[in-house]
Amino acid sequence: MAKLDEKLEGVYQEVLKRNPGEAEFHQAVLEVLESLGPVVSKHPEYLERKIIERICEPERQIIFRVPWQDDKGKVHINRGFRVEFNSALGPYKGGLRFHPSVYLGIIKFLGFEQIFKNSLTGMPIGGGKGGSDFDPKGKSDDEVMRFCQSFMTELYRHIGEHTDVPAGDIGVGGREIGYMFGQYKRITNRWEAGVLTGKGLKFGGSLVRTEATGYGAAFFINEALKTRKDSFDGKTCLVSGSGNVAIYTIEKIHQLGGRCIACSDSNGVIVDEKGLDVGLIKQLKEVERRRIQDYASFHKHATYVPNGKIWEIPCQVAMPSATQNEINGKDAATLVKNGCLAVGEGANMPTTPEGVKVFLDAKIVYGPGKAANAGGVATSALEMQQNAQRDSWKFDYTEKRLEDIMVNIHQLCHDIAEEYGAPGNYVLGANIAGFTKVADAMVAHGLV
Ligand SMILES: NC(=O)C1=CN([C@@H]2O[C@H](COP(=O)(O)OP(=O)(O)OC[C@H]3O[C@@H](n4cnc5c(N)ncnc54)[C@H](OP(=O)(O)O)[C@@H]3O)[C@@H](O)[C@H]2O)C=CC1
Ligand SMILES: O=C(O)CCC(=O)C(=O)O
């Protein structure tokens, strides 16, 4: 682990003291602070004005009760969160996660990452994140609807197209966004498309938003491979998860000439050496809401490995697209030993600090989540633009906008890494580029 600059060490110790028990948040903060030593030497005003302390302290944290009834009439109480982290560049923007593991520390790490990611997109969006410890798995549509309505019955008073614009994340897709939009409209009596993104295409959604995070991550790694005179062509790839990000990462890798041979869920891994059948995965996961295990009953040549470890399968490109800390130091060493040339993070913070060190030391291509998966939120900002114009753009045009944004993000991270004497280090490039823009805006806004 890099040693922190003395002044930044003080900031970090304060973060630990003020936010006890929030391990994921501590991890996300430390990773950013490790990159900022040379920045604060060059810009002492950031320290004088306590910009870093301010960035580490959310502007507002909302925690609320979410009561709902299941189909049998039994009452359940979940906890809802929205952390409005930083609005220096625009309204708070970031997804909602519904997963039983959710607690304040996870929402804060995600919200903190979102500040820098959103800055990298070049769009006018601040950082925020929210969610609940509600588990949508195994719930009926009606149960999910009642939960979403109860969740929005509190959340509506904190959000708005110029204030805070939530979207999806783990466990929150088009169905959940639709129910929440309906409840927002009902409570406020406003048809305000820009209040949520990831909406259905018939009521203000944008083409390409569904595909954007996965496609964007593949575009980013494609750019990084080009700097090494390489491409996806003919590469064997692994993509963890089998949700929104995973599905469209696989699809774009195939379009770019690679072959994904495995994906996963929290129960196991599916391996298809012929290349995964994306159409089948979409049908199983998006339409029928089944488990990835069922893939093997449609393709007899594929194998399902219960509790399998996807990172043990030899590959040239790995795209973790499930959840945080899914690649540890040992997994990273295995990937590198097996010939992996590039890792692109579709998920947020999927690699532990030990794993990141392995990738950086090995000097393979390593695209950290806040840069590589920024295509989702960038396309959400494009959805906001279309809503503001009361317009809807064509698929090809919107996809080209996404690709251009990802090419720019790659270039920015690449150039900043070179400028700071660490060529090829996209972690440093993303942290410094993302941070500097927010910090300069905060300086300009005065002490707020
Ligand atoms: N959706 C978006 O636009 C964006 C998402 N991200 C990040 O991408 C990642 C995936 O999100 P998304 O695809 O939207 O979510 P989905 O809910 O669509 O899919 C999540 C996938 O990851 C697996 N998964 C989730 N939690 C765990 C866990 N604790 N252990 C093992 N597997 C797990 C799920 O398996 P199972 O069904 O078994 O739980 C599922 O296959 C997250 O890190 C998210 O923060 C980043 C940027 C934008
Ligand atoms: O589209 C959005 O607003 C949020 C996407 C998101 O949650 C993320 O980038 O992690």
Side-chain angles (χ1 to χ4, degrees), residues 235-239 259-262 310-319 334-343:
K235 299 263 182 317
T236 299
C237 308
L238 306 175
V239 175
R259 184 171 52 103
C260 277
I261 58 162
I310 191 167
W311 309 123
E312 289 177 357
I313 303 169
C315 71
Q316 288 151 310
V317 181
M319 307 272 298
T334 305
L335 280 163
V336 171
K337 182 173 81 56
N338 286 342
C340 182
L341 306 168
V343 175

Side-chain angles (χ1 to χ4, degrees), residues 97 99 110 117 129 137 168-172 209 213 241-246 264-267 285 291 321-324 346-348 373 376-377:
R97 175 177 292 192
H99 192 274
L110 290 163
K117 181 194 307 193
K129 200 85 184 194
K137 238 179 269 165
D169 188 80
I170 291 177
V172 177
R209 177 60 189 88
T213 309
S242 49
N244 171 266
V245 178
S264 62
D265 62 17
S266 54
N267 298 123
K285 299 299 299 180
R291 307 298 296 161
S321 305
T323 194
Q324 65 274 359
N348 284 307
N373 72 36
V377 74

Side-chain angles (χ1 to χ4, degrees), residues 16-316:
L16 294 180
K17 211 156 79 191
R18 289 170 71 85
N19 305 276
E22 296 176 359
E24 296 84 357
F25 179 50
H26 303 161
Q27 182 183 333
V29 170
L30 182 59
E31 193 239 273
V32 172
L33 296 190
E34 279 174 352
S35 299
L36 297 186
V39 181
V40 292
S41 306
K42 210 162 150 185
H43 294 278
E45 72 274 17
Y46 294 159
L47 287 174
E48 281 153 24
R49 289 161 203 250
K50 292 203 188 287
I51 295 294
I52 301 173
E53 284 92 330
R54 279 196 267 157
I55 280 192
C56 293
E57 183 72 18
E59 290 177 15
R60 193 174 295 110
Q61 308 185 53
I62 302 145
I63 303 182
F64 51 100
R65 182 174 71 197
V66 190
W68 61 280
Q69 262 181 314
D70 68 22
D71 289 342
K72 296 197 175 99
K74 190 173 167 208
V75 173
H76 300 263
I77 310 292
N78 283 99
R79 188 169 281 180
F81 302 88
R82 186 73 185 166
V83 174
E84 298 180 332
F85 226 115
N86 192 293
S87 60
L89 300 182
Y92 311 106
K93 182 86 195 86
L96 297 169
R97 175 177 292 192
F98 292 170
H99 192 274
S101 62
V102 163
Y103 77 108
L104 188 58
I106 286 191
I107 299 300
K108 278 165 70 176
F109 114 66
L110 290 163
F112 184 74
E113 292 278 289
Q114 202 81 44
I115 303 170
F116 309 104
K117 181 194 307 193
N118 293 5
S119 164
L120 288 172
T121 66
M123 323 287 282
I125 41 180
K129 200 85 184 194
S132 173
D133 55 3
F134 173 72
D135 185 359
K137 238 179 269 165
K139 304 289 189 301
S140 70
D141 281 353
D142 282 348
E143 288 173 330
V144 170
M145 180 183 72
R146 286 195 290 275
F147 176 81
C148 289
Q149 290 177 338
S150 182
F151 185 83
M152 187 51 86
T153 299
E154 172 59 33
L155 188 68
Y156 88 95
R157 57 185 105 243
H158 308 290
I159 62 176
E161 64 177 316
H162 302 297
T163 317
D164 183 355
V165 184
D169 188 80
I170 291 177
V172 177
R175 173 182 62 171
E176 291 74 17
I177 294 290
Y179 293 146
M180 286 191 268
F181 185 75
Q183 184 72 351
Y184 181 85
K185 181 168 69 63
R186 180 189 193 192
I187 295 175
T188 60
N189 194 29
R190 284 167 66 88
W191 206 100
E192 186 186 335
V195 69
L196 289 167
T197 60
K199 298 180 294 295
L201 295 176
K202 300 204 169 79
F203 54 95
S206 172
L207 285 165
V208 190
R209 177 60 189 88
T210 303
E211 295 83 356
T213 309
Y215 278 21
F219 286 141
F220 184 95
I221 291 303
N222 198 37
E223 288 306 300
L225 287 169
K226 280 187 203 165
T227 66
R228 300 181 180 210
K229 312 246 175 304
D230 208 343
S231 74
F232 271 108
D233 206 26
K235 299 263 182 317
T236 299
C237 308
L238 306 175
V239 175
S240 63
S242 49
N244 171 266
V245 178
I247 290 171
Y248 293 95
T249 301
I250 298 167
E251 184 164 273
K252 184 51 74 181
I253 287 174
H254 286 178
Q255 289 172 11
L256 292 169
R259 184 171 52 103
C260 277
I261 58 162
C263 68
S264 62
D265 62 17
S266 54
N267 298 123
V269 177
I270 198 88
V271 185
D272 183 345
E273 294 286 350
K274 290 188 180 170
L276 291 165
D277 175 348
V278 189
L280 176 60
I281 301 175
K282 285 186 190 172
Q283 179 64 27
L284 292 173
K285 299 299 299 180
E286 295 183 330
V287 182
E288 298 176 24
R289 296 182 189 277
R290 291 165 66 164
R291 307 298 296 161
I292 201 61
Q293 165 174 20
D294 296 344
Y295 183 100
S297 51
F298 290 85
H299 285 310
K300 300 291 179 207
H301 60 270
T303 346
Y304 177 67
V305 190
N307 304 314
K309 291 197 135 253
I310 191 167
W311 309 123
E312 289 177 357
I313 303 169
C315 71
Q316 288 151 310

Side-chain angles (χ1 to χ4, degrees), residues 399-414:
E399 188 186 7
K400 181 73 178 76
R401 292 280 304 260
L402 165 66
E403 185 174 2
D404 290 347
I405 290 167
M406 296 314 297
V407 169
N408 286 340
I409 294 175
H410 171 269
Q411 195 65 47
L412 183 61
C413 299
H414 176 272

